[in-house]
Amino acid sequence: ETNKYRGVVFKFNEPPEARKPDKRWRLYVFKGDQPVGEPYKIHRQSCYLFGRERKVADIPTDHPSCSKQHAVFQYRLVEIETEDGLKKNVIRPYIMDLESTNGTFINHQRIDPSRYYELLEKDVIKFGNSSREYVLLHDQSQG
């Protein structure tokens, strides 16, 4: 089964545990110390595609070192163990590099392609050799 949109075949399919988030997550974009534009509000969908292919990218990464479909930001329902030993389901943000040429980075560490990495509040994401940094926060984040 091919996952297609606007004539472009997606490099990924959403997993069965995909969910819309229950927090109002934001991605703040910086180039050096300077903010770039308004933050992306990334809480209205269960996934967001990063890449140069503007037909399908939810968040365009126009740098030449970025791939057409570079990475996907995915919310997933996962089971965690609470401090008192009980299990509960929570929705957490993840990112997966879509076998891009120049990689995806979390906090300056290149991640392996084709596997999900959980993201935490205040993580810094970079794509390829672009100097833009994307900082993950939500509406309850403390400075």
Side-chain angles (χ1 to χ4, degrees), residues 17-89:
E17 70 275 10
R19 298 289 187 280
K20 286 186 181 176
D22 47 9
K23 285 184 180 169
R24 291 178 176 268
W25 289 99
R26 308 277 189 266
L27 269 182
Y28 290 80
V29 186
F30 292 90
K31 193 167 186 168
D33 292 337
Q34 297 301 310
V36 178
E38 289 295 310
Y40 288 103
K41 295 175 180 175
I42 53 168
H43 63 272
R44 296 182 176 115
Q45 300 171 189
S46 56
C47 76
Y48 291 84
L49 179 64
F50 293 86
R52 280 193 355 250
E53 179 75 69
R54 284 189 167 258
K55 277 185 181 177
V56 294
D58 298 297
I59 300 175
T61 54
D62 293 333
H63 196 273
S65 70
C66 294
S67 297
K68 288 181 180 180
Q69 294 181 51
H70 196 97
V72 64
F73 185 96
Q74 178 74 62
Y75 293 104
R76 301 169 69 201
L77 183 70
V78 293
E79 186 177 80
I80 63 161
E81 193 170 314
T82 60
E83 289 176 14
D84 53 9
L86 300 174
K87 295 195 183 314
K88 83 176 202 181
N89 289 330

Side-chain angles (χ1 to χ4, degrees), residues 129-143:
N129 301 321
S130 173
S131 60
R132 288 185 182 208
E133 296 185 326
Y134 298 77
V135 180
L136 182 65
L137 297 170
H138 56 73
D139 62 352
Q140 304 298 312
S141 295
Q142 302 297 313

Side-chain angles (χ1 to χ4, degrees), residues 76-116:
R76 301 169 69 201
L77 183 70
V78 293
E79 186 177 80
I80 63 161
E81 193 170 314
T82 60
E83 289 176 14
D84 53 9
L86 300 174
K87 295 195 183 314
K88 83 176 202 181
N89 289 330
V90 294
I91 299 169
R92 296 273 167 90
Y94 287 79
I95 196 159
M96 179 170 58
D97 181 87
L98 298 173
E99 298 183 9
S100 67
T101 304
N102 294 302
T104 299
F105 301 81
I106 302 172
N107 302 324
H108 307 289
Q109 298 291 316
R110 187 173 180 155
I111 62 173
D112 292 331
S114 300
R115 74 174 277 253
Y116 285 110

